[in-house]
Amino acid sequence: MENSGIERVKTHAEQLGLDVEVVERPAADSLEGAAALLGLQPGDIMKSLVVKRHDGDFLFALIPGDRQISWPKLRALVGVNKLAMPPQDVALAATGYERGTITPLGSTTAWPVYQDAAFHGRVAMGAGAHGHSAFVDAEQLAKALGATVADISEPIPPR
């Protein structure tokens, strides 16, 4: 089943006319680890986060790896007063992807996409299967997906 996620990503990208390169990489225990394995900075990793709306629908928030969702900014942009991160099983049911592999490309449902404005050029994102990453041009991705591009992130506070 792992490869079916990659195939969904590639097929959807092809349908959109989007150039995507899926690469295999060793398993990583963190986003920072994955970035290092790919020779990238954490901010060049595009986290695809599934967000649940109060009405039961979902959206994708694409956030740099070194940042987190700014809930006030995202709620204002979406025009709602309640958004939440769903449990892992709900995210899987909404997208067909396990956490750590999620991407809007090939999602079982085409939820609206909100992409952080910080992204430029080539980034790596989930590829539908563990141990793989998809390289894509951020601007081309936003255009192909009809994403709303805006400032929707904030720095992760130090631990």
Side-chain angles (χ1 to χ4, degrees):
M1 181 178 156
E2 282 289 305
N3 285 344
S4 67
I6 294 170
E7 289 310 311
R8 288 181 10 225
V9 168
K10 289 179 175 178
T11 300
H12 190 203
E14 203 172 290
Q15 291 167 348
L16 295 171
L18 184 64
D19 185 30
V20 172
E21 178 192 4
V22 175
V23 298
E24 194 169 350
R25 59 167 171 72
D29 59 357
S30 66
L31 184 136
E32 291 78 12
L37 288 167
L38 295 168
L40 300 173
Q41 295 300 313
D44 295 325
I45 301 272
M46 182 180 277
K47 295 188 287 193
S48 298
L49 304 175
V50 179
V51 177
K52 192 174 195 315
R53 296 169 47 109
H54 68 288
D55 62 9
D57 277 350
F58 297 88
L59 60 88
F60 287 104
L62 307 181
I63 306 291
D66 59 352
R67 296 178 66 84
Q68 65 185 15
I69 292 174
S70 168
W71 293 106
K73 291 176 187 176
L74 187 58
R75 284 192 305 264
L77 187 63
V78 175
V80 298
N81 56 17
K82 188 167 186 210
L83 293 170
M85 297 287 287
Q88 193 163 334
D89 61 325
V90 175
L92 173 61
T95 65
Y97 293 126
E98 292 180 26
R99 194 168 281 162
T101 72
I102 294 174
T103 170
L105 294 172
S107 172
T108 50
T109 303
W111 303 110
V113 178
Y114 293 83
Q115 181 172 309
D116 193 78
F119 289 115
H120 299 287
R122 192 169 182 216
V123 297
M125 67 187 310
H130 292 288
H132 293 79
S133 294
F135 284 96
V136 63
D137 179 272
E139 287 90 353
Q140 290 176 4
L141 178 71
K143 186 176 177 187
L145 292 173
T148 300
V149 177
D151 174 14
I152 57 169
S153 71
E154 61 190 20
I156 297 172
R159 294 178 201 244

